[in-house]
Each structure stands twice: as structure tokens, then as C-alpha cells.
């Protein structure tokens, strides 16, 4: 088989069906699995070719030339616009499939990187898991995805982050890139949110930023040593405090003194540290 014949066969294999439409959207021709055009109306009025690819994706191409009245047209003689160029419909189909394949491969790699060290599930309003993302970024349904209301992310340290879905999921293919969540009052792609979590500092306690929340184990404790006292708690909107006192006196002289040092540490969504010393 020649290169052109091979290319045409590839285009036909990637095409599930194709129709030719006039300016009003009426079907005036079809393209069969052999790549041949068959008229079902005034073929010379065709202005667009609507192609359904294997897998269900669709795309409409604008014709660059009038097909005419002949029924001998095929995928390689029908000419469409591609940017500023004119190419055969077969070439346009192959280029579109290759571009989508490259985009899917890139998205899969980015998805796998964003998911590293995390477990991501979709839950409904009752907290039941209806879907989970696999390590390669693919989504496995475990229930009715249309009922999903939240995305729950479990980080490698056991902390959980919850985001509201910005829109209901449909029955079409759902990916990390096209699922959007509410993050700090704005709609963002889930893949971007997960990628940002890779660089998030460890948080102890709980953080709630309105649309996303983080929960984990709190840290706090108390200890007494001599005359000093240490107590602390770290969390969102909580303030840890460390206070201590030490006194020293000399029996061999007339000097005596006391020293007090107070340290206040606050850690939350906005962290601040203040240190005061009095002597």
C-alpha cells in the first residue's frame, strides 16, 4: 500500500462517522467507512464537515472549496481549512487525533504528578465515596458521579483537605483538568489545586478557608521546669504561648535581680510571631 493509501486508511479507522452540512446545518452528504462521499442532498451547498471520532469526540471542519456535484469525492479530495492552510479532510482528521493524543498524554503525566502522595476521592452529600482517582490520573466510578458534591484529598501525612465542586459532574469524561472546585472563593481546575498542595507547608490543627478545609492532629503540651512554665497549642486561629521566668540572687553581694522573658507565637491561616522582653 502507498503512503497516501495508508494515511487514508488511518483516517478512516479514526473516524466513526462524518456528515457534510450546508450553511443551515442540514445534512447534504455522508462519508462512509470506505472514505467515500455520498450525496443525500445538494452536495454543492456543503460548507462544513462534521466528524465523530472513535471514542465519541466530535469536531466540525470548514470546507475550503466547493465539493461540486460529483459523488466521487472522498476524504482526501474534500479540502478543509486548518488555520491559515488548506488540507484534505483526511489530513485534518489525522492531525486532530494526534494533537488530542499528545494533549491527553501530557494531561496524564501532569495528573500523575499532582496525585503523587495523595488519595483523592469524590463524595456525595452523605459523605459516601462515588469515585476515586487512580495513580495514573484516571477516574474510577464507584457510584453515581452525578451525585458527587465534594472532593476529599488525603495527604501523605494523614491530613484531609475538602473542596466543594464548582459544578455538577456530567456523564462525559471527567478528568483532573476539567473537574473544577471552589478554592478560596474562586473556581479552579482540580489538577491545579492538587499541584499547589505539593508545595503546601505542613499544617497541624485545622484550617478552614471557607471553600476548602484542612484537618489534622493538633499539637500542644505543657511542661514545668524550675520556675519556668511552657505551654503551647498550634492550630488555625489559635495562638501558642511560651512563658518563662527565672530569678537569680547573690548572697555574697548586694546585687539581686530577676529576669522575665515572654514569647508569644501565633500560627494560623496568617502566622505571626511577637517577642517581648522585659528586664
Amino acid at each position: 500500500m502507498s503512503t497516501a493509501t495508508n494515511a487514508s486508511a488511518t483516517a478512516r479507522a479514526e473516524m466513526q462517522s462524518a456528515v457534510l452540512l450546508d450553511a443551515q446545518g442540514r445534512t447534504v452528504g455522508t462519508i462512509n467507512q470506505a472514505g467515500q462521499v455520498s450525496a443525500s442532498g445538494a452536495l454543492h451547498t456543503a460548507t462544513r464537515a462534521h466528524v465523530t471520532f472513535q471514542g465519541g469526540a466530535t469536531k466540525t471542519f470548514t470546507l475550503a472549496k466547493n465539493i461540486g456535484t460529483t459523488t466521487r469525492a472522498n476524504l482526501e479530495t474534500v479540502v478543509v481549512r486548518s488555520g491559515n492552510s488548506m488540507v484534505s479532510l483526511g489530513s485534518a482528521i489525522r492531525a486532530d487525533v494526534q494533537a488530542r493524543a499528545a494533549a491527553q498524554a501530557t494531561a496524564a503525566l501532569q495528573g500523575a504528578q499532582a496525585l503523587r502522595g495523595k488519595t483523592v476521592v469524590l463524595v456525595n452529600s452523605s459523605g459516601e465515596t462515588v469515585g476515586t482517582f487512580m495513580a495514573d490520573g484516571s477516574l474510577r466510578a464507584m457510584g453515581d458521579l452525578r451525585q458527587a458534591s465534594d472532593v476529599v484529598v488525603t495527604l501523605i501525612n494523614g491530613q484531609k483537605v475538602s473542596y466543594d465542586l464548582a459544578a455538577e459532574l456530567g456523564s462525559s469524561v471527567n478528568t483532573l483538568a476539567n473537574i473544577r472546585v471552589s478554592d478560596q472563593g474562586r473556581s479552579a481546575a482540580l489538577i491545579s489545586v492538587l499541584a499547589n498542595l505539593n508545595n503546601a507547608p505542613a499544617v497541624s490543627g485545622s484550617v478552614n478557608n471557607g471553600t476548602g478545609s484542612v484537618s489534622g492532629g493538633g499539637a500542644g503540651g505543657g511542661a514545668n521546669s524550675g520556675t519556668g512554665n511552657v505551654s503551647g497549642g498550634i492550630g488555625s486561629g489559635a495562638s501558642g504561648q511560651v512563658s518563662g521566668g527565672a530569678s537569680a540572687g547573690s548572697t555574697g553581694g548586694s546585687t539581686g535581680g530577676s529576669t522575665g522573658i515572654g514569647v508569644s507565637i501565633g500560627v494560623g491561616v496568617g502566622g505571626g510571631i511577637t517577642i517581648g522582653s522585659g528586664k
Side-chain angles (χ1 to χ4, degrees):
M1 295 178 67
S2 66
T3 301
T5 302
N6 277 327
S8 182
T10 299
R12 294 196 304 271
E14 293 164 343
M15 180 189 73
Q16 180 175 312
S17 63
V19 295
L20 297 170
L21 308 173
D22 64 13
Q24 286 71 45
R26 296 171 297 199
T27 300
V28 295
T30 59
I31 303 176
N32 60 28
Q33 288 299 315
Q36 301 297 321
V37 174
S38 299
S40 57
L43 194 59
H44 67 281
T45 64
T47 59
R48 293 168 292 164
H50 184 73
V51 178
T52 300
F53 297 91
Q54 298 293 345
T58 63
K59 185 169 183 178
T60 299
F61 300 90
T62 301
L63 298 188
K65 293 182 178 180
N66 190 301
I67 295 178
T69 58
T70 178
T71 58
R72 293 186 178 182
N74 57 53
L75 281 177
E76 304 308 321
T77 61
V78 174
V79 180
V80 299
R81 297 190 182 279
S82 177
N84 297 323
S85 304
M86 294 187 298
V87 298
S88 71
L89 179 56
S91 295
I93 290 173
R94 292 188 293 274
D96 188 78
V97 169
Q98 291 171 357
R100 284 188 290 109
Q104 290 170 357
T106 299
L109 177 60
Q110 292 174 339
Q113 292 174 338
L115 285 167
R116 186 176 297 122
K118 308 177 186 71
T119 300
V120 182
V121 298
L122 302 174
V123 301
N124 58 22
S125 58
S126 300
E128 300 169 327
T129 299
V130 295
T132 183
F133 284 96
M134 311 304 288
D136 62 357
S138 61
L139 175 62
R140 184 178 71 183
M142 302 175 67
D144 188 352
L145 292 176
R146 293 171 299 178
Q147 295 181 358
S149 60
D150 297 273
V151 177
V152 178
V153 184
T154 303
L155 304 180
I156 196 169
N157 60 2
Q159 295 170 342
K160 292 183 180 294
V161 188
S162 178
Y163 297 94
D164 297 333
L165 285 176
E168 292 183 359
L169 301 186
S171 56
S172 58
V173 177
N174 298 296
T175 67
L176 289 173
N178 62 28
I179 292 179
R180 302 189 71 81
V181 296
S182 296
D183 181 30
Q184 298 182 359
R186 63 183 179 87
S187 174
L190 179 56
I191 190 171
S192 299
V193 173
L194 293 177
N196 290 334
L197 282 177
N198 287 334
N199 300 319
V203 177
S204 181
S206 63
V207 175
N208 191 322
N209 61 8
T211 54
S213 62
V214 181
S215 63
N224 291 320
S225 175
T227 58
N229 178 275
V230 180
S231 64
I234 299 176
S236 172
S239 173
Q241 293 186 343
V242 180
S243 62
S247 63
S250 173
T251 60
S254 60
T255 59
S258 64
T259 301
I261 299 175
V263 180
S264 173
I265 301 176
V267 179
V269 176
I273 301 175
T274 59
I275 301 176
S277 174
K279 186 172 181 179

